[in-house]
Amino acid sequence: MRRGLLVLGFLVGLHAACFAVSEANPGRTVLSGEEIRNAGLTRLADIVTLLPDWSAQSLEEFTWQSSPGGLTTPEEQGFLLFVDGHRVDLGLFGVQNLNRLPLGIQDIDFVEAFSSPTLLDASFSDRGVLHIHTRVPTTESLAYRTMAGSETGDPGPFRYTDLTTPNVERIGHDYTLSLGYGYADSIQTAAATLRGLSAIHYATDPKNLRRYERMAGIDFRVLESEGGMASASYRRGGVSLSLLGCVSNLEDAFYLESVGREFPTNTESRVASFLGNFDKDRWTVQGKLSFSRGSLAKRENNFNIDPSWRQDRTTAGLTATYMHPFYELCAGSELEYLSVESDYPLESDNIRVVRFFGSAATSLWDQHQTFATLSLEGGRLDQALNLSLGHSWNTKGMQVEAQASYSERIPELDPRIWRWQERGYGFLDDLGVDLTTTPLTPSELWALDARWSVRTTQSRLSIAPYLRRHQDLTLNQGPYRFVGFDDAFWGNVELIQVDRGSLLGVTIDAEHKPHPLTKFATRIHMQWASGHPAYVSAWRTQPQLQGFLRLDWHLFENFLLQPRLRFRTETQWDRYEAAAAESQGLYQETVPAVLLFDLTAKKWAWHRRLVGSLSLQNLFDGEATYHPAGYVSEFRFVVSGTLVWN
Amino acid sequence: MSFLRSLFPILGFALLPLLTATLAVSEEPYETFRVGLEGTDLLQGSKLDPFWDFTPGFNLSLETPFYLGVGQAGLHQFNAQGINTPDLESRYTYLGWGYLLKPWERVEFVPAVRGGIWWQDYDDERNPVGAREENELAWELVGEARLRLHERWDLSLKARYRRVLTNESLEQGFVGIGVGYRFDSPPWLQGFLK
């Protein structure tokens, strides 16, 4: 009944017939490749730290749990990842670890991040979308980058004296190489790229060291990665084809929120994807086929932990779009098939989902565009309805966008481990975790998003408030206990149903360019949660206020100096309350607010083919952490050298 | 906060050139290069004195005019014999920026601030090869006086204060004496660096 009313209301609201993917999206943020490279990131996954509205947090700063625009709680993340339009699935039990993608940051052209419900191609996501656009070669090209870094505070020569202290984090050397070829004439364009990556990072923060030692020995490499990626595209007339394939092996520590700690794993990822577009007159037909394999295998460890997990996800979709001068209509279908292999006997080892969607956009009046999407998806047991209606108003120098969305989440598409545990995956049982669970039920999300933007020749300001209302969420509320013999935390699982909770947030994004060579930029995010105590408790683990203030100062020709202030307010982790007491003050359930100062210097040479960069991070040497049991970052430096030949 | 305290001498050092701006010499970036070679010795008083006996080392440097001053890059090699500790081979590689002052025709002063990495390799057979190395971030303040012997050659005297950012902070003082040779950079090299 309710669904019927929703659809009816939707159709009434659709008075002018409007569905389609639109450039207008109140939750869309674009990060330029230059901004990413100047931030001194050491791993691809760190991109989310440049998006305050994604509220990224981490135990060890290798993998991140994020919550795009409050769409999901950190434990149930599951944002979709795209690379050059290809769907790439790196998600394992709700952890989208971008470090499994063999892509160096010098290959990034720009990144689009969506933190409001979005239909991108045939995929509807109410958990956020990250779309990485890589550099497409236009001629022969080569890019090579090497990077290394270290935190200060090592023992140095004192390791051989009674003043010795543990080593601290060490990064690299990392190497990435990409070779490209591009060709274009008046009839056709073609491009092909080959990429390779090798990375090795050590983390020996004293807080985590004892856990690592107990798990895998003293010289534990938290991240060791090797991989390659190949892509090709061709366009002639109205036909375009694109292929993407990648292979990567990653040895790292897999942090599973359910058990409150990380464990060593060996992860393999395989991706193969095809996209085809056919344009004729006003019609565009797009077909796609994507395959992603992710495995979580045993890595040498003292506890003999073996997750024994491999999942293959295949998606196939067909979309047809009709473009009229006054409106645009789009309709399509997508099939998704997820199959699993494990030594654990599973009741059912696959999930099949079918989606139908339609979208429309219209521009009945100058400067106004209305758009809407409707998506239906169904698995074996449940069906879900997703709707969104939006409007944008563009004038010279100002844009107003608003979107209202309703979406249903079915247990089969829940990215967390619980649905597999219901089917017999006994990994948590084997880890000795006590489970108090409740069957997963469908949940709902109402989302309102808006954005007001103004732009002048020198400045840009946007204010984007949002409201989320979650209903019937399943959250893990099990408290963590402190295990003294190896300074570890261990969590028992207690799943509870949260009837409702609301989240109000706002993102402020501003830039000012007082001089052609100088730019101030800031991005700030604030949020407030209300509703069920467990819901509020889950959101208290994220800062109410966080953001950064940055100055891009091209001091001289081909020389950039970039000071940056980052800040986030205190967070409260109620689930660590008992553990904090048990550790006798060694750990606290409160993570203090931080204010960090970074400084990056960058010099180009050889007609900007050579780039050297030095990034000093947390220059005031403040103790900064995201998590009660987490890695404490101190003053560190990252050096990189890049050769780009194009 | 210890870093903040460390900033004061840096700021003082950075302000020094403002007081002596009239003495400054300014050239086009990368117009010339100076190659320097000097012998160095570690002064007594370091926290490492009880553990290592440091032998004299050498410093190889490269310097070129670089926006409002001079840019510097170099390698400082110095080793030590262990006193109940493993022998140590070490190098300090750095990048720096200095201010060239010329109070008299044949005399130059170059105060500089540098940042770099101190690479250490310990002759420690207890650990595997990969685990015998350490590298630490360090910064240093340098005072250098040069006497021009010839259009291209000079004699230099140098004092260096270095702070290594280890957990137990480490301060080192070095003195050095050496020679420098200057040459005009070829156009292709200037173009490359610009």
Side-chain angles (χ1 to χ4, degrees):
Chain A
M1 176 68 182
R2 189 169 63 166
R3 281 184 178 174
L5 286 174
L6 275 167
V7 172
L8 185 63
F10 174 76
L11 291 173
V12 170
L14 196 59
H15 54 91
C18 47
F19 283 81
V21 179
S22 166
E23 281 297 305
N25 188 306
R28 178 174 177 263
T29 306
V30 176
L31 296 174
S32 71
E34 217 45 35
E35 178 178 353
I36 292 167
R37 283 181 280 280
N38 290 345
L41 303 186
T42 54
R43 293 170 276 271
L44 192 65
D46 299 351
I47 286 174
V48 291
T49 63
L50 302 179
L51 298 162
D53 57 329
W54 280 52
S55 296
Q57 54 179 243
S58 178
L59 181 78
E60 72 315 55
E61 298 195 17
F62 283 77
T63 53
W64 295 90
Q65 291 77 52
S66 55
S67 163
L71 293 172
T72 61
T73 59
E75 77 164 82
E76 57 151 350
Q77 62 177 317
F79 63 85
L80 299 186
L81 176 66
F82 288 84
V83 178
D84 294 333
H86 296 272
R87 168 94 184 265
V88 174
D89 179 38
L90 304 172
L92 289 167
F93 302 137
V95 178
Q96 276 278 23
N97 185 355
L98 264 61
N99 295 328
R100 286 200 277 268
L101 197 62
L103 183 67
I105 64 170
Q106 89 275 4
D107 287 324
I108 295 176
D109 188 11
F110 65 99
V111 172
E112 282 178 291
F114 296 89
S115 57
S116 56
T118 303
L119 181 71
L120 197 63
D121 296 335
S123 306
F124 177 85
S125 174
D126 61 356
R127 290 184 163 95
V129 175
L130 202 67
H131 192 172
I132 300 173
H133 298 262
T134 64
R135 285 177 170 170
V136 178
T138 52
T139 177
E140 298 85 354
S141 72
L142 177 150
Y144 173 77
R145 181 176 188 260
T146 181
M147 183 271 292
S150 183
E151 214 170 65
T152 59
D154 264 355
F158 295 105
R159 66 186 270 192
Y160 294 104
T161 74
D162 50 5
L163 297 171
T164 187
T165 49
N167 264 306
V168 293
E169 192 181 73
R170 194 148 49 94
I171 303 159
H173 300 77
D174 290 2
Y175 308 96
T176 49
L177 174 70
S178 61
L179 299 169
Y181 174 77
Y183 172 81
D185 61 23
S186 57
I187 300 170
Q188 57 193 348
T189 59
T193 312
L194 276 174
R195 300 185 172 98
L197 174 147
S198 167
I200 182 162
H201 298 188
Y202 299 81
T204 47
D205 181 273
K207 251 185 171 175
N208 301 352
L209 182 65
R210 290 188 61 184
R211 283 207 297 275
Y212 297 147
E213 282 178 349
R214 290 287 298 164
M215 281 189 295
I218 191 165
D219 195 24
F220 183 65
R221 290 160 302 212
V222 168
L223 181 144
E224 187 166 11
S225 171
E226 284 177 345
M229 179 185 279
S231 60
S233 61
Y234 178 75
R235 182 177 185 90
R236 186 186 174 99
V239 179
S240 64
L241 305 170
S242 172
L243 290 165
L244 176 84
C246 71
V247 175
S248 79
N249 288 316
L250 173 68
E251 290 191 346
D252 70 347
F254 188 85
Y255 171 66
L256 195 57
E257 194 273 346
S258 329
V259 295
R261 69 173 293 165
E262 63 284 80
F263 51 89
T265 51
N266 192 347
T267 313
E268 289 183 2
S269 302
R270 307 279 184 270
V271 174
S273 179
F274 163 80
L275 273 177
N277 264 301
F278 177 68
D279 299 332
K280 188 163 175 62
D281 301 329
R282 292 177 175 175
W283 285 92
T284 299
V285 178
Q286 185 190 66
K288 66 171 191 174
L289 181 64
S290 297
F291 169 80
S292 296
R293 166 174 291 177
S295 68
L296 211 53
K298 182 181 174 182
R299 180 179 171 193
E300 200 62 37
N301 67 84
N302 300 332
F303 299 153
N304 206 26
I305 295 173
D306 182 4
S308 174
W309 186 260
R310 193 188 87 183
Q311 68 180 42
D312 295 342
R313 188 188 302 270
T314 307
T315 53
L318 195 65
T319 310
T321 307
Y322 178 75
M323 280 172 282
H324 185 271
F326 299 109
Y327 62 87
E328 184 179 312
L329 296 170
C330 178
S333 176
E334 184 182 71
L335 300 170
E336 184 171 331
Y337 181 74
L338 177 69
S339 65
V340 166
E341 267 191 37
S342 174
D343 290 342
Y344 293 96
L346 303 174
E347 266 175 41
S348 167
D349 63 0
N350 65 75
I351 290 172
R352 275 169 282 181
V353 178
V354 184
R355 290 188 186 91
F356 296 99
F357 70 92
S359 65
T362 185
S363 184
L364 289 180
W365 306 281
D366 279 353
Q367 303 172 338
H368 289 264
Q369 188 184 38
T370 308
F371 57 95
T373 63
L374 167 67
S375 161
L376 294 166
E377 58 190 6
R380 280 202 196 108
L381 304 173
D382 296 291
Q383 295 80 43
L385 171 70
N386 307 306
L387 303 170
S388 66
L389 257 175
H391 189 86
S392 73
W393 175 37
N394 293 281
T395 64
K396 191 180 178 186
M398 189 184 79
Q399 185 178 35
V400 180
E401 300 154 80
Q403 178 178 296
S405 314
Y406 167 79
S407 57
E408 295 170 342
R409 294 173 179 171
I410 56 180
E412 282 187 303
L413 293 174
D414 194 313
R416 295 172 298 178
I417 198 171
W418 315 123
R419 62 174 183 192
W420 295 108
Q421 184 197 309
E422 285 176 352
R423 295 175 180 209
Y425 182 57
F427 181 56
L428 294 180
D429 292 314
D430 284 357
L431 285 178
V433 176
D434 288 337
L435 304 165
T436 311
T437 61
T438 179
L440 295 178
T441 55
S443 66
E444 296 171 20
L445 168 70
W446 293 86
L448 289 175
D449 293 88
R451 179 160 61 186
W452 172 78
S453 318
V454 283
R455 183 187 291 269
T456 66
T457 50
Q458 286 185 312
S459 307
R460 183 178 62 79
L461 168 70
S462 80
I463 300 174
Y466 64 79
L467 178 66
R468 313 279 179 244
R469 186 175 174 84
H470 290 97
Q471 286 179 212
D472 302 325
L473 275 184
T474 308
L475 295 178
N476 179 7
Q477 279 297 294
Y480 294 110
R481 311 305 300 258
F482 179 64
V483 185
F485 80 98
D486 61 351
D487 274 7
F489 290 86
W490 201 253
N492 291 325
V493 172
E494 188 185 329
L495 287 189
I496 62 164
Q497 293 282 350
V498 173
D499 55 354
R500 66 187 53 185
S502 301
L503 188 74
L504 177 67
V506 62
T507 306
I508 299 168
D509 196 342
E511 272 183 18
H512 178 59
K513 238 178 159 177
H515 182 269
L517 299 178
T518 311
K519 183 172 82 176
F520 289 97
T522 185
R523 201 172 289 144
I524 298 169
H525 177 246
M526 290 172 273
Q527 63 180 28
W528 302 267
S530 62
H532 192 286
Y535 183 85
V536 175
S537 173
W539 288 104
R540 276 205 298 253
T541 62
Q542 302 206 330
Q544 272 199 331
L545 170 69
Q546 64 180 319
F548 64 80
L549 177 65
R550 194 184 73 217
L551 169 65
D552 295 342
W553 188 17
H554 289 268
L555 201 55
F556 306 108
E557 186 189 12
N558 289 330
F559 186 78
L560 170 76
L561 207 56
Q562 187 192 75
R564 190 166 63 129
L565 269 178
R566 291 180 283 153
F567 52 88
R568 50 183 190 267
T569 54
E570 177 185 284
T571 56
Q572 176 75 27
W573 300 67
D574 298 336
R575 296 173 63 192
Y576 284 83
E577 197 174 348
E582 287 164 358
S583 72
Q584 298 176 332
L586 189 61
Y587 294 94
Q588 303 292 331
E589 69 269 31
T590 304
V591 173
V594 292
L595 177 67
L596 307 174
F597 177 66
D598 306 333
L599 184 66
T600 297
K602 197 168 175 181
K603 173 80 178 95
W604 288 263
W606 196 17
H607 307 291
R608 293 179 82 91
R609 291 185 187 113
L610 265 181
V611 192
S613 166
L614 169 67
S615 180
L616 305 172
Q617 299 171 7
N618 190 1
L619 203 53
F620 293 153
D621 204 17
E623 290 197 350
T625 185
Y626 286 90
H627 193 281
Y631 154 75
V632 181
S633 69
E634 293 167 8
F635 174 33
R636 77 173 180 185
F637 69 96
V638 178
V639 190
S640 72
T642 308
L643 168 69
V644 179
W645 183 279
N646 199 341
Chain B
M1 287 302 110
S2 60
F3 184 79
L4 273 181
R5 281 198 297 274
S6 309
L7 276 179
F8 290 112
I10 297 177
L11 288 174
F13 191 75
L15 289 173
L16 180 67
L18 297 178
L19 303 174
T20 54
T22 51
L23 306 176
V25 178
S26 150
E27 291 177 88
E28 273 293 299
Y30 320 115
E31 195 176 15
T32 58
F33 274 87
R34 177 186 180 274
V35 181
L37 180 65
E38 74 204 33
T40 68
D41 200 16
L42 177 67
L43 298 174
Q44 292 292 312
S46 152
K47 280 182 186 170
L48 299 181
D49 287 356
F51 308 107
W52 279 276
D53 183 12
F54 282 85
T55 56
F58 69 90
N59 186 81
L60 188 62
S61 63
L62 201 61
E63 184 180 293
T64 184
F66 185 77
Y67 307 110
L68 307 178
V70 289
Q72 303 177 333
L75 177 147
H76 180 198
Q77 170 90 34
F78 60 108
N79 302 330
Q81 289 175 342
I83 304 168
N84 299 321
T85 51
D87 290 351
L88 164 66
E89 277 186 29
S90 78
R91 293 156 290 289
Y92 175 63
T93 52
Y94 61 85
L95 287 173
W97 181 84
Y99 211 71
L100 185 63
L101 303 167
K102 205 166 181 179
W104 300 288
E105 193 180 340
R106 296 182 60 190
V107 177
E108 292 173 352
F109 292 108
V110 191
V113 58
R114 295 169 177 171
I117 297 172
W118 184 28
W119 310 86
Q120 309 133 66
D121 190 355
Y122 295 95
D123 185 15
D124 176 13
E125 290 179 356
R126 292 172 302 172
N127 282 320
V129 173
R132 297 176 192 174
E133 296 160 3
E134 293 275 347
N135 54 78
E136 318 300 342
L137 191 69
W139 59 267
E140 63 180 1
L141 299 178
V142 184
E144 184 175 6
R146 292 177 190 156
L147 177 66
R148 295 289 280 263
L149 303 173
H150 176 263
E151 187 187 347
R152 297 192 180 276
W153 289 94
D154 63 57
L155 188 68
S156 78
L157 192 63
K158 196 177 282 182
R160 306 163 78 156
Y161 164 79
R162 184 178 303 162
R163 191 176 179 111
V164 184
L165 301 178
T166 43
N167 190 57
E168 180 72 28
S169 68
L170 176 60
E171 293 170 295
Q172 294 172 317
F174 293 89
V175 288
I177 184 164
V179 291
Y181 175 76
R182 228 166 280 247
F183 60 92
D184 298 333
S185 57
W188 65 264
L189 185 58
Q190 285 189 54
F192 176 85
L193 291 169
K194 280 182 178 174

